[in-house]
Structure formats: C-alpha cells, structure tokens
C-alpha cells in the first residue's frame, strides 16, 4: 500500500534512512522520538502526557535508546488510527 511520508516542520533530520512518520490510509506510524536533554526528558514527557490523557491513558511504550547513541536514554514510538 502506498503511504505519505510525514516530516514535521522544524524537526531534526533522522539519524538513519527513514521517515519520522508514515501515513498509509488513515493510520499514522510514528518513528522513534528521542529525549535529547541532559536529564533524558522523561519526567517532562510524563507531565505533557498527563495533560493530553488525564484519565484512561492509551497504551504506550518507551524503548531503551542507548543502542543508537550512548547519550540517548529513552525513545518513544506510536501508531495512531485517524478519523
């Protein structure tokens, strides 16, 4: 199935040959997003996550990212079904 590459304005270029997102039909696949501040940005991520999902938050997963580069601590990836 053909897909539309999604590249957010102002985003850093990917570290490898992939698109930050891909949209085949009404499904959006988001590539891993890294926390880049010196503290790993995990607490700040949770604060923002709670703002958008104050009750019954959706499933999520965070991936150990130091395999990409040692200074990366957390990577977030997601899939969304669009209306």
């Amino acid at each position: 199935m053909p897909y539309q590459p999604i590249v957010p304005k102002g985003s850093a270029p990917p570290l490898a040959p992939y698109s930050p997102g891909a949209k085949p039909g009404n499904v959006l696949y988001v590539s891993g997003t890294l926390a880049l501040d010196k503290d790993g940005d995990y607490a700040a991520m949770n604060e923002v996550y709670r703002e958008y999902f104050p009750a019954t938050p959706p499933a999520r997963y965070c991936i150990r990212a130091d395999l990409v580069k040692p200074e990366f601590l957390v990577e977030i990836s997601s899939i969304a079904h669009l209306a």
Side-chain angles (χ1 to χ4, degrees):
M1 171 182 267
Y3 68 91
Q4 172 189 357
I6 304 295
V7 180
K9 291 180 183 174
S11 65
L15 299 174
Y18 61 85
S19 295
K23 183 178 175 274
N26 68 342
V27 178
L28 176 63
Y29 294 90
V30 179
S31 297
T33 303
L34 298 165
L36 296 176
D37 85 1
K38 65 183 172 96
D39 298 321
D41 203 28
Y42 197 74
M45 177 197 73
N46 282 330
E47 287 179 36
V48 172
Y49 198 81
R50 279 189 203 98
E51 287 178 27
Y52 285 91
F53 306 106
T56 60
R60 74 175 198 192
Y61 57 96
C62 296
I63 303 152
R64 194 180 112 203
D66 63 341
L67 298 175
V68 177
K69 287 190 173 185
E71 63 269 24
F72 296 159
L73 301 176
V74 176
E75 180 176 338
I76 304 165
S77 183
S78 61
I79 300 170
H81 291 264
L82 308 171

XYZ file of all heavy atoms in Angstrom:
633
model
N 0.842 -1.178 0.000
C 0.000 0.000 0.000
C 0.885 1.239 0.000
O 1.814 1.338 0.784
C -0.882 -0.017 1.256
C -1.636 1.275 1.469
S -2.656 1.313 2.967
C -4.189 0.758 2.277
N 0.609 2.204 -0.866
C 1.399 3.436 -0.854
C 1.145 4.219 0.435
O 0.107 4.098 1.057
C 0.892 4.211 -2.076
C -0.374 3.580 -2.462
C -0.414 2.196 -1.889
N 2.121 5.026 0.821
C 1.995 5.827 2.033
C 2.558 7.210 1.796
O 3.338 7.439 0.876
C 2.711 5.155 3.210
C 4.208 5.129 3.075
C 4.984 6.152 3.586
C 4.848 4.089 2.420
C 6.359 6.144 3.443
C 6.220 4.072 2.276
C 6.972 5.101 2.794
O 8.324 5.088 2.654
N 2.138 8.132 2.666
C 2.630 9.503 2.637
C 3.670 9.665 3.731
O 3.364 9.433 4.907
C 1.457 10.460 2.885
C 1.881 11.892 3.066
C 0.707 12.761 3.525
O -0.412 12.307 3.656
N 0.999 14.022 3.771
N 4.928 10.024 3.403
C 5.914 10.296 4.451
C 5.500 11.540 5.237
O 5.009 12.507 4.674
C 7.216 10.556 3.695
C 6.975 10.097 2.304
C 5.501 10.159 2.070
N 5.693 11.508 6.550
C 5.363 12.637 7.417
C 6.657 13.160 8.032
O 7.371 12.421 8.710
C 4.402 12.211 8.550
C 3.132 11.576 7.982
C 4.084 13.391 9.460
C 2.263 12.500 7.160
N 6.971 14.432 7.769
C 8.168 15.072 8.327
C 7.730 16.381 8.976
O 7.397 17.332 8.286
C 9.229 15.338 7.236
C 10.456 15.991 7.845
C 9.579 14.061 6.486
N 7.662 16.442 10.323
C 7.224 17.673 10.994
C 8.147 18.843 10.686
O 9.369 18.682 10.612
C 7.289 17.320 12.481
C 7.281 15.836 12.536
C 7.952 15.371 11.271
N 7.553 20.018 10.520
C 8.341 21.235 10.286
C 9.260 21.482 11.469
O 8.853 21.356 12.621
C 7.427 22.434 10.092
C 6.648 22.393 8.813
C 5.752 23.601 8.674
C 4.935 23.463 7.406
N 3.950 24.525 7.269
N 10.502 21.813 11.204
C 11.461 22.136 12.250
C 12.047 20.940 12.970
O 12.805 21.103 13.911
N 11.709 19.732 12.534
C 12.240 18.553 13.228
C 13.686 18.301 12.810
O 14.107 18.662 11.711
C 11.382 17.322 12.936
O 11.452 16.972 11.570
N 14.424 17.684 13.700
C 15.803 17.303 13.383
C 15.773 16.191 12.352
O 14.852 15.372 12.343
C 16.510 16.831 14.650
N 16.752 16.142 11.476
C 16.763 15.064 10.481
C 16.966 13.709 11.160
O 17.636 13.621 12.195
C 17.949 15.415 9.580
C 18.789 16.341 10.374
C 17.890 17.036 11.352
N 16.371 12.652 10.617
C 16.566 11.319 11.188
C 18.036 10.922 11.179
O 18.828 11.394 10.360
C 15.766 10.405 10.259
C 14.826 11.291 9.536
C 15.500 12.636 9.453
N 18.409 10.032 12.102
C 19.794 9.570 12.204
C 20.106 8.452 11.223
O 21.240 8.011 11.116
C 20.071 9.082 13.629
C 19.914 10.143 14.713
C 20.069 9.515 16.092
C 20.928 11.248 14.519
N 19.104 7.969 10.524
C 19.257 6.870 9.563
C 18.256 7.098 8.430
O 17.445 8.029 8.506
C 19.008 5.536 10.276
N 18.268 6.264 7.393
C 17.345 6.474 6.271
C 15.924 5.988 6.585
O 15.569 4.847 6.311
C 17.982 5.675 5.138
C 18.773 4.622 5.814
C 19.230 5.203 7.120
N 15.128 6.849 7.223
C 13.717 6.564 7.490
C 12.958 7.881 7.595
O 13.557 8.940 7.768
C 13.531 5.743 8.774
C 14.020 6.421 10.031
C 13.219 7.317 10.724
C 15.292 6.172 10.514
C 13.671 7.950 11.877
C 15.742 6.793 11.677
C 14.929 7.678 12.347
O 15.375 8.300 13.477
N 11.646 7.813 7.493
C 10.803 8.997 7.686
C 10.385 9.074 9.145
O 10.159 8.041 9.773
C 9.540 8.888 6.818
O 9.885 8.914 5.462
N 10.249 10.283 9.704
C 9.758 10.402 11.073
C 8.360 9.813 11.244
O 7.992 9.356 12.303
C 9.754 11.905 11.330
C 10.790 12.442 10.397
C 10.691 11.578 9.172
N 7.584 9.817 10.176
C 6.251 9.222 10.223
C 5.857 8.723 8.852
O 6.414 9.131 7.837
N 4.887 7.816 8.819
C 4.361 7.295 7.564
C 2.857 7.135 7.724
O 2.385 6.622 8.742
C 5.004 5.963 7.220
N 2.084 7.580 6.709
C 0.627 7.529 6.789
C 0.067 6.759 5.596
O -0.150 7.319 4.534
C 0.066 8.943 6.831
C -1.432 9.004 6.998
C -1.891 10.456 7.081
C -3.394 10.536 7.114
N -3.976 10.540 5.784
N -0.172 5.449 5.771
C -0.898 4.706 4.735
C -2.389 4.738 5.073
O -2.804 4.291 6.139
C -0.334 3.294 4.854
C 0.081 3.171 6.285
C 0.419 4.573 6.757
N -3.208 5.336 4.232
C -4.641 5.436 4.527
C -4.878 6.294 5.753
O -4.345 7.389 5.876
N -5.654 5.772 6.720
C -5.963 6.561 7.918
C -5.218 6.071 9.155
O -5.676 6.243 10.280
C -7.475 6.577 8.178
C -8.006 5.222 8.582
O -7.353 4.201 8.371
N -9.180 5.184 9.158
N -4.051 5.474 8.960
C -3.202 5.029 10.065
C -1.901 5.812 10.000
O -1.330 5.988 8.936
C -2.911 3.513 9.986
C -1.999 3.077 11.109
C -4.209 2.723 10.008
N -1.444 6.306 11.162
C -0.186 7.048 11.227
C 0.809 6.269 12.070
O 0.530 5.960 13.227
C -0.423 8.433 11.847
C 0.818 9.290 12.073
C 1.497 9.618 10.751
C 0.449 10.556 12.830
N 1.929 5.917 11.491
C 3.020 5.259 12.203
C 4.081 6.312 12.478
O 4.518 7.003 11.563
C 3.624 4.133 11.367
C 2.671 3.000 11.128
C 1.832 2.996 10.019
C 2.596 1.938 12.020
C 0.942 1.954 9.805
C 1.709 0.891 11.809
C 0.887 0.905 10.696
O 0.002 -0.124 10.499
N 4.475 6.441 13.733
C 5.471 7.438 14.116
C 6.750 6.719 14.499
O 6.743 5.817 15.341
C 4.968 8.291 15.307
C 6.018 9.307 15.720
C 3.664 8.986 14.937
N 7.850 7.092 13.873
C 9.142 6.503 14.198
C 9.558 6.919 15.595
O 9.009 7.863 16.169
C 10.207 6.961 13.196
O 9.890 6.509 11.907
N 10.542 6.248 16.131
C 11.021 6.567 17.477
C 11.403 8.024 17.601
O 12.002 8.606 16.703
N 11.026 8.632 18.715
C 11.352 10.016 19.027
C 12.218 10.021 20.272
O 11.870 9.396 21.270
C 10.061 10.822 19.281
O 9.236 10.711 18.119
C 10.366 12.278 19.547
N 13.331 10.702 20.215
C 14.302 10.667 21.317
C 14.163 11.845 22.261
O 13.841 12.955 21.845
C 15.720 10.673 20.740
C 16.068 9.472 19.875
C 17.326 9.760 19.076
C 16.235 8.243 20.736
N 14.421 11.590 23.537
C 14.539 12.657 24.530
C 15.981 13.148 24.479
O 16.901 12.369 24.658
C 14.214 12.121 25.913
N 16.165 14.426 24.212
C 17.516 14.910 23.953
C 18.089 15.854 25.006
O 19.177 16.354 24.830
C 17.559 15.611 22.588
C 17.258 14.701 21.395
C 17.229 15.509 20.114
C 18.294 13.597 21.300
N 17.377 16.114 26.123
C 18.009 16.987 27.100
C 18.915 16.175 28.031
O 18.890 14.955 28.041
C 16.989 17.863 27.839
C 16.333 17.208 29.040
O 16.651 16.060 29.373
O 15.494 17.869 29.663
N 19.742 16.861 28.820
C 20.763 16.184 29.617
C 20.192 15.243 30.669
O 20.864 14.331 31.126
C 21.682 17.202 30.282
C 20.984 18.078 31.306
C 21.930 19.111 31.863
C 21.194 20.089 32.717
N 21.195 19.840 34.094
N 18.928 15.437 31.049
C 18.307 14.582 32.061
C 17.435 13.494 31.457
O 16.739 12.787 32.175
C 17.462 15.436 33.020
C 18.313 16.439 33.779
O 19.438 16.067 34.178
O 17.871 17.578 33.947
N 17.440 13.347 30.124
C 16.645 12.312 29.485
C 15.222 12.766 29.183
O 14.529 12.091 28.456
N 14.746 13.887 29.731
C 13.438 14.476 29.393
C 12.250 13.578 29.714
O 11.140 13.786 29.237
C 13.422 14.850 27.910
C 12.386 15.914 27.650
O 12.081 16.703 28.542
O 11.893 15.917 26.510
N 12.411 12.469 30.520
C 11.352 11.512 30.799
C 10.274 12.099 31.710
O 9.087 11.910 31.470
C 11.955 10.250 31.416
C 11.053 9.057 31.374
C 10.822 8.387 30.177
C 10.421 8.607 32.521
C 9.989 7.296 30.130
C 9.580 7.509 32.477
C 9.372 6.856 31.282
O 8.540 5.793 31.242
N 10.661 12.820 32.763
C 9.682 13.433 33.664
C 8.844 14.470 32.918
O 7.623 14.526 33.077
C 10.380 14.063 34.862
N 9.482 15.279 32.093
C 8.759 16.285 31.320
C 7.797 15.616 30.336
O 6.674 16.084 30.135
C 9.737 17.190 30.582
N 8.214 14.505 29.743
C 7.352 13.764 28.824
C 6.093 13.290 29.555
O 4.983 13.407 29.048
C 8.094 12.572 28.232
C 7.223 11.716 27.326
S 7.896 10.092 27.016
C 7.615 9.281 28.577
N 6.262 12.772 30.772
C 5.110 12.296 31.543
C 4.154 13.429 31.901
O 2.937 13.243 31.892
C 5.566 11.564 32.806
C 6.037 10.172 32.493
O 5.565 9.535 31.552
N 6.965 9.675 33.290
N 4.686 14.615 32.207
C 3.821 15.759 32.513
C 2.955 16.120 31.311
O 1.748 16.333 31.450
C 4.670 16.968 32.910
C 5.292 16.868 34.283
C 6.133 18.086 34.608
O 5.749 19.204 34.188
O 7.166 17.916 35.273
N 3.553 16.198 30.141
C 2.801 16.524 28.928
C 1.812 15.403 28.605
O 0.665 15.656 28.245
C 3.756 16.784 27.744
C 2.987 16.941 26.442
C 4.613 18.009 28.017
N 2.239 14.167 28.762
C 1.367 13.018 28.502
C 0.115 13.099 29.376
O -0.998 12.874 28.904
C 2.151 11.734 28.787
C 1.578 10.492 28.175
C 1.815 10.172 26.849
C 0.817 9.604 28.941
C 1.312 9.015 26.290
C 0.310 8.450 28.388
C 0.556 8.152 27.063
O 0.055 7.007 26.514
N 0.276 13.442 30.662
C -0.875 13.568 31.578
C -1.816 14.701 31.162
O -3.022 14.622 31.381
C -0.388 13.801 33.002
C 0.029 12.550 33.691
C 0.304 12.801 35.186
N 1.194 11.779 35.677
C 2.505 11.890 35.817
N 3.099 13.024 35.523
N 3.238 10.896 36.251
N -1.270 15.772 30.577
C -2.127 16.864 30.104
C -3.067 16.396 28.998
O -4.228 16.766 28.961
C -1.276 18.022 29.569
C -0.566 18.824 30.635
C 0.288 19.921 30.040
O -0.026 20.401 28.922
O 1.283 20.308 30.683
N -2.552 15.591 28.091
C -3.357 15.114 26.970
C -4.235 13.919 27.345
O -5.280 13.710 26.750
C -2.457 14.748 25.787
C -1.940 15.962 25.068
C -0.726 16.544 25.437
C -2.660 16.553 24.043
C -0.253 17.678 24.792
C -2.200 17.679 23.391
C -0.990 18.236 23.770
O -0.536 19.353 23.130
N -3.799 13.133 28.307
C -4.530 11.925 28.708
C -4.689 11.906 30.233
O -4.060 11.109 30.918
C -3.788 10.668 28.245
C -3.485 10.655 26.780
C -2.198 10.872 26.326
C -4.497 10.432 25.849
C -1.913 10.861 24.971
C -4.220 10.428 24.490
C -2.925 10.643 24.051
N -5.542 12.803 30.804
C -5.669 12.869 32.257
C -6.322 11.633 32.868
O -6.091 11.307 34.023
C -6.522 14.115 32.491
C -7.257 14.318 31.209
C -6.362 13.793 30.126
N -7.167 10.942 32.117
C -7.824 9.719 32.604
C -7.781 8.674 31.490
O -7.763 9.021 30.309
C -9.268 10.018 32.974
N -7.714 7.444 31.863
C -7.654 6.305 30.931
C -6.676 6.544 29.773
O -7.070 6.580 28.612
C -9.054 5.943 30.385
O -9.600 7.066 29.683
C -9.999 5.506 31.488
N -5.403 6.734 30.074
C -4.423 6.965 29.009
C -4.271 5.726 28.126
O -4.468 4.602 28.588
C -3.133 7.261 29.771
C -3.314 6.600 31.084
C -4.783 6.670 31.394
N -3.935 5.944 26.856
C -3.732 4.810 25.954
C -2.440 4.072 26.288
O -1.591 4.571 27.034
C -3.648 5.469 24.578
C -3.163 6.842 24.852
C -3.734 7.220 26.194
N -2.302 2.891 25.714
C -1.064 2.131 25.876
C 0.090 2.915 25.257
O -0.092 3.697 24.332
C -1.198 0.777 25.192
N 1.269 2.709 25.784
C 2.461 3.329 25.211
C 3.653 2.458 25.561
O 3.576 1.600 26.441
C 2.670 4.745 25.721
C 3.162 4.793 27.158
C 3.465 6.199 27.587
N 4.315 6.181 28.763
C 4.564 7.225 29.505
N 4.043 8.387 29.203
N 5.341 7.143 30.547
N 4.735 2.704 24.876
C 5.969 2.041 25.247
C 7.137 2.969 25.010
O 7.108 3.810 24.132
C 6.163 0.710 24.513
C 6.136 0.780 23.009
C 7.303 0.857 22.275
C 4.935 0.743 22.320
C 7.278 0.900 20.904
C 4.910 0.775 20.945
C 6.075 0.849 20.233
O 6.046 0.886 18.869
N 8.127 2.851 25.858
C 9.367 3.594 25.727
C 10.476 2.564 25.553
O 10.450 1.509 26.173
C 9.633 4.459 26.954
S 8.381 5.728 27.177
N 11.417 2.879 24.731
C 12.449 1.932 24.335
C 13.803 2.435 24.792
O 14.105 3.627 24.662
C 12.446 1.796 22.799
C 11.058 1.359 22.328
C 13.523 0.828 22.326
C 10.723 1.821 20.957
N 14.618 1.549 25.322
C 15.993 1.925 25.673
C 16.700 2.346 24.391
O 16.757 1.595 23.428
C 16.687 0.719 26.302
C 17.950 1.088 26.994
C 18.581 -0.127 27.598
N 19.800 -0.356 26.841
C 20.409 -1.502 26.753
N 19.917 -2.556 27.334
N 21.524 -1.606 26.069
N 17.214 3.553 24.371
C 17.729 4.122 23.128
C 19.246 4.206 23.070
O 19.791 4.674 22.089
C 17.127 5.504 22.926
N 19.957 3.755 24.105
C 21.413 3.918 24.087
C 22.085 3.037 23.042
O 23.272 3.189 22.782
C 22.012 3.678 25.471
C 21.801 2.266 25.984
O 20.904 1.563 25.481
O 22.538 1.870 26.906
N 21.340 2.143 22.404
C 21.923 1.356 21.321
C 22.142 2.215 20.078
O 22.995 1.918 19.257
C 21.029 0.156 20.989
C 20.843 -0.827 22.137
C 19.842 -1.908 21.743
C 22.165 -1.463 22.540
N 21.345 3.296 19.936
C 21.529 4.225 18.817
C 22.761 5.080 19.066
O 23.660 5.164 18.242
C 20.280 5.111 18.637
C 20.495 6.132 17.533
C 19.056 4.263 18.357
N 22.791 5.739 20.228
C 23.935 6.527 20.689
C 23.920 6.463 22.208
O 22.850 6.560 22.817
C 23.829 7.988 20.227
C 24.082 8.189 18.751
C 24.194 9.669 18.435
C 24.607 9.850 16.988
N 24.847 11.257 16.680
N 25.052 6.341 22.856
C 25.082 6.184 24.321
C 24.406 7.312 25.093
O 23.864 7.089 26.158
C 26.573 6.128 24.654
C 27.239 5.749 23.390
C 26.381 6.267 22.274
N 24.376 8.533 24.547
C 23.775 9.650 25.278
C 22.239 9.652 25.220
O 21.591 10.383 25.952
C 24.321 10.997 24.797
C 24.014 11.326 23.355
C 25.073 10.868 22.355
O 25.832 9.929 22.643
O 25.146 11.462 21.271
N 21.639 8.824 24.375
C 20.178 8.747 24.299
C 19.676 7.768 25.350
O 20.182 6.664 25.481
C 19.725 8.285 22.921
C 20.064 9.235 21.798
C 20.123 8.786 20.502
C 20.323 10.576 22.033
C 20.425 9.641 19.457
C 20.627 11.445 21.005
C 20.671 10.975 19.707
N 18.662 8.162 26.109
C 18.152 7.329 27.200
C 16.790 6.714 26.910
O 16.522 5.590 27.311
C 18.072 8.161 28.488
C 19.389 8.768 28.952
C 19.161 9.633 30.173
C 20.408 7.683 29.237
N 15.902 7.449 26.264
C 14.530 6.994 26.048
C 14.131 7.268 24.611
O 14.486 8.288 24.042
C 13.557 7.741 26.992
C 12.122 7.354 26.713
C 13.894 7.461 28.447
N 13.385 6.357 24.005
C 12.819 6.546 22.680
C 11.338 6.195 22.755
O 10.957 5.230 23.399
C 13.517 5.642 21.672
C 12.999 5.782 20.267
C 13.775 4.937 19.279
O 14.932 4.571 19.564
O 13.211 4.636 18.222
N 10.503 6.992 22.113
C 9.060 6.770 22.119
C 8.609 6.517 20.684
O 9.014 7.214 19.762
C 8.322 8.011 22.667
C 8.851 8.359 24.061
C 6.810 7.766 22.696
C 8.455 9.739 24.504
N 7.749 5.542 20.507
C 7.202 5.222 19.196
C 5.700 5.022 19.344
O 5.228 4.651 20.427
C 7.867 3.962 18.655
O 7.398 3.679 17.361
N 4.925 5.277 18.287
C 3.484 5.116 18.420
C 2.820 4.843 17.075
O 3.408 5.024 16.023
C 2.868 6.367 19.050
O 3.108 7.476 18.216
N 1.563 4.394 17.157
C 0.699 4.183 15.998
C -0.632 4.824 16.328
O -1.168 4.671 17.419
C 0.489 2.683 15.731
C 1.828 1.987 15.460
C -0.480 2.479 14.555
C 1.729 0.484 15.415
N -1.209 5.596 15.394
C -2.494 6.245 15.611
C -3.431 5.926 14.450
O -3.017 5.917 13.289
C -2.310 7.763 15.724
N -4.673 5.654 14.748
C -5.710 5.493 13.737
C -6.472 6.812 13.657
O -7.012 7.280 14.655
C -6.655 4.336 14.085
C -5.976 3.020 13.984
N -6.048 2.223 12.877
C -5.163 2.374 14.841
C -5.342 1.142 13.056
N -4.788 1.213 14.252
N -6.495 7.425 12.480
C -7.076 8.750 12.312
C -8.508 8.639 11.814
O -8.838 7.778 11.000
C -6.242 9.550 11.310
C -4.739 9.592 11.617
C -3.984 10.210 10.466
C -4.486 10.341 12.905
N -9.355 9.533 12.272
C -10.756 9.524 11.851
C -10.914 10.208 10.516
O -10.143 10.987 10.082
C -11.610 10.235 12.898
